[in-house]
Amino acid sequence: MKTKLFSYNYENTPIHNLSGLIKFICFLLLTFATMYTYDIRVILGMLVFSLIILRISKIKFSQIKVMLIYVLIFILINAIFTFFFAPEHGTTLYNTRNPIMKLWGNFELTQEQLLYQVTLAFKYLSVVPLGIIFLLTTNPSEFASSVTAVGVPYKASFAISLTLRYFPDILRVYNDISQAQQARGLEMSGKAKMKERVKNSLMIIIPLIFSTLERIEVVTNAMDLRGFGKEKRRTWYCVQKLRPADYYALAVSIVAVLIVASVAYFLNHGRYFNPFI
Amino acid sequence: MVPQQTPIIDFDHFTFQYYSQAEPTLRDINLKIYAGEKILIVGPSGSGKSTLGHCLNGLIPFYYKGNLEGSLKINGTETRDLDIFKLSKIIGTVLQDSDGQFVGLTVGEDIAFAMENDCVPQAEMHDRVDRVAKMVDIAHVKNLSPYELSGGQKQRTALAGVLIDDVDILLFDEPLANLDPATGKTAIEIIDDIHKQMGKTIIIIEHRLEDVLHRDVDRVIVINDGCIIADMSAHDLVSSDVLKENGIREPLYVTALKYANIHVTPQMKPGHIWSLDTNAVNEALRSWNRSVKTPLEAPPRPPLLTIDHLSFSYDGVRPTLSDINFEIREGEMVSIVGKNGAGKSTLAKLMCGFEKVDKGAILYKGQDIHKQSIKERAEFIGFVMQNPNQMISKNLIFDEVALGLRLRGVNEEEIKDRVEKVLDICGLSPFIEWPISALSYGQKKRVTIASILVLRPNILILDEPTAGQDYRHYSEIMEFLRQINETGVSIILITHDMHLMLEYTPRAIVLSEGQQIADTLASVVLTDPQTIAAANLKETSLYHLAQLAGIPDGTQFVQHFIDYERVAGQ
């Protein structure tokens, strides 16, 4: 079904079976490692690693296609802006200047800038699969309990997990409303002018907000009646006990961080890999 | 039940007024309920029965604020000295919308929710969940998502979620509102089993009297205008005029007895169809049955809409609809019935062009309409969603109804003319300058119907137009649709409502798992066991009445009831 596009679905894979808390910590560790290093070799290694995990967790391409397109567009726009705002950033970083070709005006493409931007793009590209894996393989309730375990107030994490859970519902209601309004003559395609389309989308969003509010009132009543928010803390029914696999996963992530750190410390003497000297 | 010395619930000159209201919603309520009793509270919408429930479970004054006077004691303690959390340990509430109240992602987690909030250790939670799940017979679905369950299992899950606290009192707030007839019947049976096995005090707030009386209750309390009107046994209530005077529908079999000119007395035990004793009146029923004349059938009008060998699938693998064939004639009023997921809504979407037909065709006046856009089809097929709040996007009634015309670029003068005419038909002219937020639910429903009618469609499709409505609003909406129908508009109703089928649509189309399993008279659909099971309906009590009276052709008896009512109604 369409509404199952971007939501948690249980599959029996080693990744799904990991505890939510461990998955969250591993996600943070690996993301930190990837964001820290500017060594293209390490980053490519990370990318390959996260693609393997993606494969193991049996996430289908169709599930993440839309998301991926947005990410690619983001990376592209980001790259263009980075180049226009700081075309010489690479040369200051690496302290050398090897021009490749003259573009226009004062803009010149250098090997340093190219390396820097390619590194940056791959950095984003290898973090995204990690996020996708975490979101799509973690039961929203376990997500809430694991975020709470690292210090977020449980009311906040519960709100996030409820939002994640109701998102597909809201999407469905949006579609229903949109269709009914189109039947009344609403034009949502490219045929309408931009100003018209913004005005028209209000005709869908206003009813959507009101019906969502109705829904929220029902859920909050149900939660109040069953004692939500009574105590400063709460326990969780579906927190898993840690299993050997959880420790292995944690160990792998820590090793990954250590590798990144040692490459930086011993090989590169810093965050950047500099092949130009 | 033998009344004990101290009541478990004791209203004493209790009055409640919401801060937002000018008048009290509950006035001088005096009511005692004893431990182990099973009480049904009935009343029309706005009577104050839900407010009474909120006072019991603590949503008033915890969530909805207002002014309390008099006394309400539960287990001997004034409720104003308790809070919603303490009350929730004494009274467990099952809300009407079982879909909306699930907070857990699995059945087990949802049952455990109250314990999580009490900081119960995990191992104990699992133990207690297992025990309660076994008790209400859902242990085998413990790891499924609540949304994957059948209607009956959802009810059991919601019940388990409150039973986990070992409460003394169970409060059911309109448990039948969103259920199809078969699931509603199961829900009443589950509640009754819990009452019998565990001896809990049960309070059911509902307006669908006959459906609750499928099983025994100790007392029925009638509320209207914030006051208690009656407090009596089901037999006494059904024999009295209280139901009629307070806008509550009497059981259908009682209506049939009255049509046959039979005086209904408490001695006949008419509170439940299974307790009804008709021995003294069988002859009267049989002779009435013989006397009803079948009206002459009008010659068939030409077909307006033809569904021709239509098939459709969302994913290209699993068919959602396969080989559907029927015709909608000019000026007809037809029901489409079937379980949730049988394909009813999909069929409506295909007719409106929201989805594209895979195989077969939809013909309007003989022309295939597959090339026509949603907007073009809206000129002859109008679609009204179930929840009016999902359609309304303007502040003023006039603007809301005019919307479809303005989007089509009709000039303001003509818009004014057409909107005024439609509002007049819909009985909304007095409110033309009103903000929509000031209208009742039923009036909002009319606004949405008006906003579709203004486009002058020949066919109107309505999704569950009467869901959750009490008898008065039901009659209002349906009589209004009948008037629209009499102006020549064909009406298709997607519904679970068996009264609606009996009283308003002579013909019903039944879908089951994407197949069309019947296209026949409503009286046949409601008396054929196979169709009833496939569509999650239940046998109408009229059929049982026919059996009791020794009338062999029950289906014909039901048809006679429909025919009689149609003549009597005009």
Side-chain angles (χ1 to χ4, degrees):
Chain A
M1 291 288 288
K2 283 178 192 163
T3 45
K4 282 236 164 171
L5 253 188
F6 199 73
S7 62
Y8 168 74
N9 253 329
Y10 181 75
E11 292 258 2
N12 187 12
T13 76
I15 308 296
H16 283 81
N17 291 335
L18 286 179
S19 124
L21 176 61
I22 294 295
K23 238 180 292 183
F24 189 56
I25 294 173
C26 293
F27 166 68
L28 290 181
L29 284 174
L30 293 173
T31 307
F32 169 76
T34 319
M35 291 323 280
Y36 179 78
T37 180
Y38 276 87
D39 187 325
I40 183 86
R41 300 163 301 180
V42 176
I43 288 171
L44 285 178
M46 277 297 188
L47 182 62
V48 172
F49 177 71
S50 50
L51 289 179
I52 292 171
I53 305 280
L54 200 65
R55 201 48 193 279
I56 296 176
S57 50
K58 288 190 185 158
I59 292 170
K60 286 183 213 80
F61 178 67
S62 60
Q63 269 175 289
I64 55 172
K65 197 170 98 188
V66 179
M67 172 89 175
L68 221 53
I69 290 171
Y70 280 111
V71 169
L72 287 176
I73 292 173
F74 168 80
I75 292 176
L76 188 72
I77 293 174
N78 185 269
I80 293 170
F81 275 104
T82 314
F83 185 72
F84 277 101
F85 285 122
E88 297 293 327
H89 190 64
T91 51
T92 34
L93 276 178
Y94 299 109
N95 271 325
T96 54
R97 195 167 191 286
N98 298 305
I100 301 175
M101 58 155 106
K102 212 148 177 71
L103 295 173
W104 57 92
N106 286 332
F107 290 103
E108 195 175 25
L109 185 62
T110 61
Q111 287 181 16
E112 288 80 3
Q113 185 70 9
L114 192 64
L115 177 69
Y116 168 68
Q117 290 212 220
V118 168
T119 310
L120 203 63
F122 274 103
K123 228 164 143 74
Y124 293 135
L125 215 52
S126 50
V127 169
V128 170
L130 295 175
I132 289 178
I133 292 164
F134 177 66
L135 274 178
L136 292 190
T137 66
T138 310
N139 176 326
S141 321
E142 258 211 289
F143 169 82
S145 64
S146 47
V147 177
T148 311
V150 297
V152 178
Y154 78 82
K155 283 191 185 175
S157 60
F158 211 89
I160 300 170
S161 101
L162 274 182
T163 314
L164 282 179
R165 185 168 327 159
Y166 286 123
F167 188 67
D169 270 9
I170 293 174
L171 218 62
R172 203 191 58 232
V173 175
Y174 177 89
N175 274 333
D176 286 351
I177 295 175
S178 154
Q179 286 170 342
Q181 299 292 45
Q182 281 178 51
R184 292 167 76 184
L186 190 70
E187 192 67 71
M188 285 304 290
S189 63
K191 278 187 218 163
K193 284 191 207 103
M194 197 58 203
K195 199 179 143 205
E196 284 295 306
R197 274 160 75 184
V198 172
K199 227 172 85 190
N200 288 351
S201 63
L202 274 183
M203 284 179 46
I204 301 174
I205 289 166
I206 290 173
L208 183 68
I209 290 174
F210 279 107
S211 58
T212 308
L213 285 178
E214 271 176 30
R215 184 94 203 241
I216 289 173
E217 185 176 337
V218 174
V219 180
T220 38
N221 276 351
M223 288 168 60
D224 283 343
L225 284 172
R226 289 161 74 189
F228 185 75
K230 180 161 53 172
E231 310 283 342
K232 287 238 162 53
R233 39 173 228 110
R234 76 199 294 274
T235 47
W236 304 86
Y237 176 78
C238 63
V239 176
Q240 291 177 24
K241 290 230 170 56
L242 298 188
R243 284 181 296 208
D246 291 312
Y247 293 106
Y248 299 148
L250 193 61
V252 168
S253 311
I254 291 174
V255 167
V257 173
L258 288 179
I259 292 177
V260 169
S262 9
V263 167
Y265 189 78
F266 296 112
L267 279 181
N268 295 338
H269 306 290
R271 293 170 71 183
Y272 297 91
F273 159 58
N274 193 342
F276 299 106
I277 303 173
Chain B
M1 240 5 98
V2 185
Q4 293 155 3
Q5 286 298 314
T6 42
I8 192 166
I9 293 170
D10 189 355
F11 285 94
D12 188 24
H13 296 288
F14 182 86
T15 295
F16 176 77
Q17 183 175 350
Y18 291 100
Y19 286 144
S20 55
Q21 302 276 317
E23 297 266 319
T25 302
L26 291 176
R27 278 182 295 196
D28 199 32
I29 300 286
N30 289 295
L31 174 65
K32 292 182 186 358
I33 295 172
Y34 296 92
E37 272 195 300
K38 186 178 178 194
I39 304 287
L40 167 61
I41 299 178
V42 294
S45 298
S47 62
K49 63 181 193 304
S50 290
T51 303
L52 192 81
H54 291 335
C55 290
L56 284 173
N57 61 27
L59 281 178
I60 290 174
F62 183 85
Y63 190 84
Y64 303 104
K65 307 285 180 199
N67 191 25
L68 282 122
E69 279 169 39
S71 144
L72 166 56
K73 285 186 193 147
I74 294 183
N75 257 350
T77 316
E78 279 293 336
T79 54
R80 68 189 72 185
D81 299 332
L82 298 166
D83 59 33
I84 190 167
F85 301 135
K86 287 191 187 122
L87 272 169
S88 74
K89 299 291 165 201
I90 310 171
I91 298 196
T93 312
V94 179
L95 296 169
Q96 61 165 276
D97 181 358
S98 59
D99 272 347
Q101 62 185 295
F102 290 127
V103 274
L105 203 73
T106 64
V107 170
E109 192 192 3
D110 194 76
I111 298 174
F113 186 72
M115 290 191 292
E116 292 181 319
N117 296 325
D118 278 335
C119 298
V120 174
Q122 201 188 11
E124 187 189 334
M125 278 201 268
H126 280 270
D127 274 359
R128 277 166 67 181
V129 166
D130 288 350
R131 222 162 349 123
V132 173
K134 216 170 278 163
M135 213 151 70
V136 295
D137 197 22
I138 45 171
H140 55 292
V141 292
K142 204 182 72 181
N143 295 321
L144 291 184
S145 152
Y147 300 99
E148 295 171 66
L149 304 181
S150 71
Q153 287 169 332
K154 281 182 188 171
Q155 285 287 310
R156 286 170 202 270
T157 304
L159 194 57
V162 297
L163 284 175
I164 197 88
D165 266 335
D166 198 28
V167 290
D168 297 327
I169 307 165
L170 289 173
L171 173 67
F172 295 88
D173 188 2
E174 305 216 17
L176 304 177
N178 294 310
L179 303 183
D180 60 55
T183 309
K185 189 173 150 188
T186 316
I188 292 301
E189 287 165 5
I190 299 169
I191 295 172
D192 195 50
D193 291 346
I194 292 288
H195 179 241
K196 292 218 169 83
Q197 286 160 19
M198 307 171 75
K200 308 260 183 217
T201 309
I202 307 268
I203 300 168
I204 304 170
I205 298 174
E206 207 14 283
H207 60 83
R208 285 160 66 175
L209 179 74
E210 179 176 351
D211 294 327
V212 180
L213 294 180
H214 167 59
R215 289 287 180 93
D216 209 359
V217 299
D218 292 314
R219 282 190 282 158
V220 185
I221 289 153
V222 182
I223 295 196
N224 202 0
D225 285 330
C227 298
I228 292 185
I229 305 289
D231 177 352
M232 51 174 85
S233 78
H235 302 312
D236 290 341
L237 179 66
V238 165
S239 320
S240 72
D241 288 330
V242 173
L243 293 176
K244 207 173 155 198
E245 285 161 5
N246 291 285
I248 301 158
R249 183 194 281 277
E250 65 189 4
L252 266 188
Y253 57 89
V254 174
T255 311
L257 289 169
K258 288 183 178 167
Y259 284 167
N261 245 332
I262 294 164
H263 180 59
V264 181
T265 62
Q267 286 71 37
M268 293 163 71
K269 298 206 176 305
H272 316 274
I273 182 74
W274 44 263
S275 64
L276 180 69
D277 178 4
T278 56
N279 279 333
V281 296
N282 281 345
E283 192 37 53
L285 269 172
R286 284 197 287 260
S287 80
W288 173 77
N289 185 39
R290 280 189 300 270
S291 75
V292 179
K293 289 184 194 71
T294 311
L296 290 174
E297 254 180 73
R301 318 252 304 258
L304 207 50
L305 195 72
T306 310
I307 309 292
D308 184 23
H309 296 285
L310 178 143
S311 297
F312 176 77
S313 162
Y314 279 104
D315 52 14
V317 185
R318 217 165 29 94
T320 308
L321 289 170
S322 34
D323 200 26
I324 308 293
N325 289 287
F326 61 83
E327 280 179 348
I328 304 291
R329 297 178 176 276
E330 274 176 16
E332 247 194 325
M333 198 144 152
V334 182
S335 291
I336 297 183
V337 295
K339 284 182 203 182
N340 289 335
K344 294 168 295 175
S345 302
T346 307
L347 187 56
K349 286 183 174 183
L350 288 164
M351 291 193 251
C352 299
F354 300 163
E355 303 287 348
K356 292 266 170 260
V357 175
D358 286 344
K359 242 186 270 166
I362 300 175
L363 312 171
Y364 175 71
K365 292 187 174 169
Q367 300 290 314
D368 192 335
I369 55 172
H370 75 276
K371 281 209 181 104
Q372 307 209 23
S373 72
I374 296 177
K375 191 173 168 180
E376 283 162 348
R377 290 190 204 194
E379 319 266 333
F380 52 86
I381 304 180
F383 178 67
V384 180
M385 297 173 83
Q386 176 178 343
N387 181 351
N389 291 340
Q390 291 189 356
M391 293 184 77
I392 293 170
S393 59
K394 298 283 175 199
N395 290 327
L396 297 175
I397 295 178
F398 186 93
D399 291 342
E400 182 63 33
V401 177
L403 185 73
L405 296 175
R406 287 200 174 126
L407 286 168
R408 283 171 169 75
V410 178
N411 68 58
E412 273 307 309
E413 211 168 308
E414 193 186 335
I415 290 179
K416 190 162 179 292
D417 187 49
R418 277 169 75 170
V419 171
E420 277 172 3
K421 264 191 200 135
V422 165
L423 288 176
D424 194 39
I425 296 171
C426 300
L428 290 166
S429 297
F431 311 111
I432 193 159
E433 303 284 332
W434 280 36
I436 291 178
S437 52
L439 299 182
S440 72
Y441 184 91
Q443 287 167 330
K444 278 187 190 167
K445 187 98 205 170
R446 281 183 188 216
V447 171
T448 60
I449 296 173
S451 68
I452 298 301
L453 278 179
V454 79
L455 302 174
R456 295 181 181 157
N458 293 324
I459 303 164
L460 199 56
I461 305 174
L462 295 105
D463 191 3
E464 295 283 1
T466 56
Q469 301 301 298
D470 71 356
Y471 186 37
R472 190 169 63 89
H473 289 111
Y474 159 89
S475 308
E476 243 177 60
I477 293 172
M478 289 314 298
E479 282 306 320
F480 166 58
L481 286 176
R482 170 131 65 193
Q483 282 167 29
I484 302 291
N485 181 236
E486 276 160 10
T487 66
V489 178
S490 303
I491 295 184
I492 303 173
L493 299 147
I494 297 174
T495 187
H496 283 309
D497 191 331
M498 294 177 35
H499 290 120
L500 189 162
M501 290 169 66
L502 269 178
E503 293 170 346
Y504 292 94
T505 62
R507 177 180 155 214
I509 295 161
V510 186
L511 299 184
S512 174
E513 283 160 37
Q515 311 270 346
Q516 178 181 332
I517 59 166
D519 176 359
T520 182
L521 293 173
S523 59
V524 177
V525 169
L526 291 173
T527 52
D528 175 58
Q530 268 175 332
T531 318
I532 286 172
N536 261 18
L537 300 170
K538 67 175 190 189
E539 221 163 58
T540 164
S541 60
L542 295 171
Y543 190 70
H544 292 271
L545 183 65
Q547 287 175 330
L548 283 174
I551 295 166
D553 191 344
T555 306
Q556 191 197 43
F557 179 78
V558 174
Q559 188 59 47
H560 282 167
F561 178 89
I562 296 172
D563 295 339
Y564 185 88
E565 186 150 72
R566 202 145 294 157
V567 176
Q570 281 163 5

